[in-house]
Amino acid sequence: PGARGGRYMVLLHGFSPLAHREPRMKKMAASICDATGITVFIPRVASLFHDKISMKEVAAEIGDTYTSLARAHPGRYYAFGVCMGASLLAMGLQTVPAEIYPEKLLLVGPITDGKSLMKLHDGNGIPNQDIIFKLIVTANMEVFSDNEKALIRKSMLNAGSGKTDESRIRRILGER
């Protein structure tokens, strides 16, 4: 209700049995729409419910779904992933063309241990990972000092939208 065309958000659910029909997701989408005027899509990701499909295949479907929505409804895009959907969204967006990549990406997920998430991610053979995903993962790793975590947060805030300029981020972090 009340949405203005041209601004869209893809809101991706996690491993809820109700998936895109989860009442709390619908309420969140309605609240975002009412507060901002952004049209919110909650796509159903069918592969999340097949036990014989790899995380790589799920991430590919998410990327394809996002790309299809952005092509069918041109405009400014934002993406919001919840629970495990947050991790999969970050993985799936790696194949999205730069011209339709979301301007903002909000990830709220259950995995707070960066090592576990990277093991899950790297085990699925997804190459050329955007450095911002690695920064998101490392922000909670216990191997970093408070000063190093502050630099990581600064890098994340300076990443901007679209494909990350890794040279800019490396200048902030320093070569290590």
Side-chain angles (χ1 to χ4, degrees):
R4 295 184 299 271
R7 294 189 319 148
Y8 304 96
M9 176 179 284
V10 174
L11 178 57
L12 186 63
H13 59 81
F15 286 124
S16 165
L18 295 175
H20 62 290
R21 296 180 313 246
E22 165 64 50
R24 291 173 296 177
M25 292 293 285
K26 287 183 173 188
K27 286 180 183 176
M28 185 183 305
S31 294
I32 291 168
C33 182
D34 288 344
T36 65
I38 294 173
T39 299
V40 180
F41 297 114
I42 308 174
R44 181 179 190 279
V45 181
S47 59
L48 276 172
F49 303 97
H50 296 281
D51 59 353
K52 302 219 185 283
I53 292 182
S54 72
M55 297 298 265
K56 183 177 178 180
E57 292 169 301
V58 174
E61 182 182 350
I62 290 167
D64 292 345
T65 299
Y66 175 90
T67 299
S68 295
L69 284 168
R71 298 255 190 252
H73 306 278
R76 296 174 59 194
Y77 271 80
Y78 310 94
F80 185 172
V82 178
C83 197
M84 189 60 184
S87 303
L88 292 166
L89 181 61
M91 292 165 62
L93 289 174
Q94 295 309 304
T95 59
V96 169
E99 67 272 8
I100 60 171
Y101 197 88
E103 289 183 27
K104 299 292 177 193
L105 180 59
L106 176 61
L107 305 174
V108 180
I111 300 178
T112 57
D113 172 13
K115 290 179 190 174
S116 298
L117 183 55
M118 285 309 294
K119 182 178 177 187
L120 168 72
H121 179 268
D122 288 342
N124 286 294
I126 296 179
N128 303 317
Q129 188 59 53
D130 189 346
I131 194 170
I132 195 66
F133 176 72
K134 294 193 186 231
L135 290 173
I136 292 166
V137 169
T138 59
N140 290 314
M141 292 182 78
E142 65 279 355
V143 297
F144 294 106
S145 70
D146 288 340
N147 288 339
E148 289 169 322
K149 287 180 182 180
L151 283 175
I152 292 168
R153 283 191 295 276
K154 180 178 179 184
S155 297
M156 289 168 58
L157 292 172
N158 282 281
S161 63
K163 182 75 174 157
T164 304
D165 177 356
E166 292 189 24
S167 62
R168 185 171 158 210
I169 300 302
R170 289 187 195 287
R171 282 193 302 274
I172 294 168
L173 292 175
E175 296 297 328
R176 184 174 164 204

